[in-house]
mmCIF file of all heavy atoms in Angstrom:
data_model
loop_
_atom_site.group_PDB
_atom_site.id
_atom_site.type_symbol
_atom_site.label_atom_id
_atom_site.label_comp_id
_atom_site.label_asym_id
_atom_site.label_seq_id
_atom_site.Cartn_x
_atom_site.Cartn_y
_atom_site.Cartn_z
ATOM 1 N N TRP N 1727 108.196 29.211 37.161
ATOM 2 C CA TRP N 1727 107.425 30.443 37.077
ATOM 3 C C TRP N 1727 106.541 30.601 38.304
ATOM 4 O O TRP N 1727 106.185 29.631 38.976
ATOM 5 C CB TRP N 1727 106.561 30.450 35.809
ATOM 6 C CG TRP N 1727 107.346 30.619 34.553
ATOM 7 C CD1 TRP N 1727 107.602 31.792 33.885
ATOM 8 C CD2 TRP N 1727 107.992 29.602 33.779
ATOM 9 N NE1 TRP N 1727 108.364 31.558 32.757
ATOM 10 C CE2 TRP N 1727 108.618 30.217 32.666
ATOM 11 C CE3 TRP N 1727 108.103 28.211 33.922
ATOM 12 C CZ2 TRP N 1727 109.328 29.510 31.719
ATOM 13 C CZ3 TRP N 1727 108.823 27.495 32.978
ATOM 14 C CH2 TRP N 1727 109.436 28.141 31.887
ATOM 15 N N PRO N 1730 101.078 29.437 36.542
ATOM 16 C CA PRO N 1730 101.125 28.523 35.394
ATOM 17 C C PRO N 1730 101.003 29.248 34.067
ATOM 18 O O PRO N 1730 100.051 29.072 33.293
ATOM 19 C CB PRO N 1730 99.940 27.579 35.657
ATOM 20 C CG PRO N 1730 98.987 28.385 36.459
ATOM 21 C CD PRO N 1730 99.832 29.266 37.325
ATOM 22 N N SER N 1731 101.968 30.104 33.795
ATOM 23 C CA SER N 1731 102.036 30.858 32.544
ATOM 24 C C SER N 1731 103.468 31.318 32.341
ATOM 25 O O SER N 1731 104.108 31.813 33.283
ATOM 26 C CB SER N 1731 101.113 32.082 32.593
ATOM 27 O OG SER N 1731 101.394 32.973 31.536
ATOM 28 N N LYS N 1732 103.955 31.185 31.131
ATOM 29 C CA LYS N 1732 105.318 31.638 30.846
ATOM 30 C C LYS N 1732 105.401 33.156 30.771
ATOM 31 O O LYS N 1732 106.504 33.709 30.636
ATOM 32 C CB LYS N 1732 105.829 31.008 29.549
ATOM 33 C CG LYS N 1732 106.126 29.526 29.689
ATOM 34 C CD LYS N 1732 106.800 28.966 28.448
ATOM 35 C CE LYS N 1732 107.163 27.487 28.637
ATOM 36 N NZ LYS N 1732 107.839 26.920 27.457
ATOM 37 N N LEU N 1756 95.321 22.661 42.580
ATOM 38 C CA LEU N 1756 96.457 23.107 41.766
ATOM 39 C C LEU N 1756 96.694 22.227 40.539
ATOM 40 O O LEU N 1756 97.725 22.379 39.874
ATOM 41 C CB LEU N 1756 97.726 23.159 42.623
ATOM 42 C CG LEU N 1756 97.678 24.072 43.851
ATOM 43 C CD1 LEU N 1756 99.036 24.109 44.543
ATOM 44 C CD2 LEU N 1756 97.226 25.482 43.479
ATOM 45 N N GLN N 1757 95.781 21.321 40.245
ATOM 46 C CA GLN N 1757 95.932 20.500 39.055
ATOM 47 C C GLN N 1757 95.674 21.353 37.816
ATOM 48 O O GLN N 1757 94.646 22.014 37.696
ATOM 49 C CB GLN N 1757 94.964 19.323 39.089
ATOM 50 C CG GLN N 1757 95.218 18.342 40.219
ATOM 51 C CD GLN N 1757 96.631 17.769 40.185
ATOM 52 O OE1 GLN N 1757 97.076 17.243 39.164
ATOM 53 N NE2 GLN N 1757 97.338 17.879 41.303
ATOM 54 N N ARG N 1758 96.630 21.339 36.895
ATOM 55 C CA ARG N 1758 96.492 22.136 35.680
ATOM 56 C C ARG N 1758 97.240 21.445 34.554
ATOM 57 O O ARG N 1758 98.429 21.137 34.690
ATOM 58 C CB ARG N 1758 97.037 23.547 35.895
ATOM 59 C CG ARG N 1758 96.736 24.487 34.741
ATOM 60 C CD ARG N 1758 97.204 25.892 35.055
ATOM 61 N NE ARG N 1758 96.851 26.803 33.989
ATOM 62 C CZ ARG N 1758 95.700 27.441 33.914
ATOM 63 N NH1 ARG N 1758 94.788 27.265 34.859
ATOM 64 N NH2 ARG N 1758 95.457 28.256 32.914
ATOM 65 N N GLU N 1759 96.543 21.213 33.463
ATOM 66 C CA GLU N 1759 97.139 20.481 32.343
ATOM 67 C C GLU N 1759 98.360 21.226 31.807
ATOM 68 O O GLU N 1759 98.324 22.435 31.566
ATOM 69 C CB GLU N 1759 96.109 20.306 31.232
ATOM 70 C CG GLU N 1759 96.605 19.464 30.069
ATOM 71 C CD GLU N 1759 95.547 19.218 29.014
ATOM 72 O OE1 GLU N 1759 94.392 19.676 29.210
ATOM 73 O OE2 GLU N 1759 95.865 18.584 27.996
ATOM 74 N N GLY N 1760 99.446 20.475 31.663
ATOM 75 C CA GLY N 1760 100.664 21.046 31.104
ATOM 76 C C GLY N 1760 101.584 21.695 32.120
ATOM 77 O O GLY N 1760 102.666 22.155 31.766
ATOM 78 N N TRP N 1761 101.161 21.726 33.412
ATOM 79 C CA TRP N 1761 101.970 22.367 34.444
ATOM 80 C C TRP N 1761 101.998 21.520 35.704
ATOM 81 O O TRP N 1761 101.042 20.812 36.006
ATOM 82 C CB TRP N 1761 101.393 23.746 34.796
ATOM 83 C CG TRP N 1761 101.554 24.755 33.706
ATOM 84 C CD1 TRP N 1761 100.696 24.973 32.668
ATOM 85 C CD2 TRP N 1761 102.643 25.661 33.531
ATOM 86 N NE1 TRP N 1761 101.168 25.967 31.856
ATOM 87 C CE2 TRP N 1761 102.363 26.412 32.365
ATOM 88 C CE3 TRP N 1761 103.807 25.926 34.246
ATOM 89 C CZ2 TRP N 1761 103.228 27.402 31.913
ATOM 90 C CZ3 TRP N 1761 104.662 26.917 33.785
ATOM 91 C CH2 TRP N 1761 104.372 27.634 32.633
ATOM 92 N N ASN N 1762 103.098 21.615 36.442
ATOM 93 C CA ASN N 1762 103.241 20.921 37.726
ATOM 94 C C ASN N 1762 103.687 21.914 38.795
ATOM 95 O O ASN N 1762 104.695 22.610 38.610
ATOM 96 C CB ASN N 1762 104.287 19.804 37.639
ATOM 97 C CG ASN N 1762 103.839 18.645 36.797
ATOM 98 O OD1 ASN N 1762 102.677 18.250 36.834
ATOM 99 N ND2 ASN N 1762 104.756 18.090 36.013
ATOM 100 N N PRO N 1763 102.957 22.004 39.915
ATOM 101 C CA PRO N 1763 103.466 22.805 41.032
ATOM 102 C C PRO N 1763 104.596 22.041 41.723
ATOM 103 O O PRO N 1763 104.506 20.831 41.921
ATOM 104 C CB PRO N 1763 102.246 22.960 41.941
ATOM 105 C CG PRO N 1763 101.402 21.757 41.642
ATOM 106 C CD PRO N 1763 101.643 21.407 40.203
ATOM 107 N N TRP N 1784 105.892 26.928 39.533
ATOM 108 C CA TRP N 1784 105.292 26.081 38.505
ATOM 109 C C TRP N 1784 106.339 25.693 37.456
ATOM 110 O O TRP N 1784 107.094 26.533 36.983
ATOM 111 C CB TRP N 1784 104.134 26.801 37.825
ATOM 112 C CG TRP N 1784 102.992 27.063 38.751
ATOM 113 C CD1 TRP N 1784 102.856 28.093 39.636
ATOM 114 C CD2 TRP N 1784 101.809 26.269 38.886
ATOM 115 N NE1 TRP N 1784 101.683 27.990 40.319
ATOM 116 C CE2 TRP N 1784 101.001 26.881 39.881
ATOM 117 C CE3 TRP N 1784 101.344 25.106 38.265
ATOM 118 C CZ2 TRP N 1784 99.764 26.378 40.262
ATOM 119 C CZ3 TRP N 1784 100.108 24.594 38.639
ATOM 120 C CH2 TRP N 1784 99.334 25.228 39.635
ATOM 121 N N ALA N 1785 106.327 24.414 37.124
ATOM 122 C CA ALA N 1785 107.225 23.902 36.093
ATOM 123 C C ALA N 1785 106.384 23.344 34.950
ATOM 124 O O ALA N 1785 105.290 22.812 35.160
ATOM 125 C CB ALA N 1785 108.107 22.779 36.665
ATOM 126 N N VAL N 1786 106.882 23.482 33.760
ATOM 127 C CA VAL N 1786 106.193 22.888 32.622
ATOM 128 C C VAL N 1786 106.304 21.389 32.721
ATOM 129 O O VAL N 1786 107.375 20.838 32.989
ATOM 130 C CB VAL N 1786 106.815 23.390 31.295
ATOM 131 C CG1 VAL N 1786 106.187 22.670 30.113
ATOM 132 C CG2 VAL N 1786 106.648 24.893 31.161
ATOM 133 N N GLY N 1787 105.174 20.682 32.591
ATOM 134 C CA GLY N 1787 105.229 19.230 32.738
ATOM 135 C C GLY N 1787 104.090 18.544 32.025
ATOM 136 O O GLY N 1787 103.203 19.165 31.486
#
Side-chain angles (χ1 to χ4, degrees):
W1727 289 265
S1731 167
K1732 288 187 177 181
L1756 301 184
Q1757 296 303 307
R1758 189 176 183 88
E1759 184 176 358
W1761 290 88
N1762 290 321
W1784 295 83
V1786 175

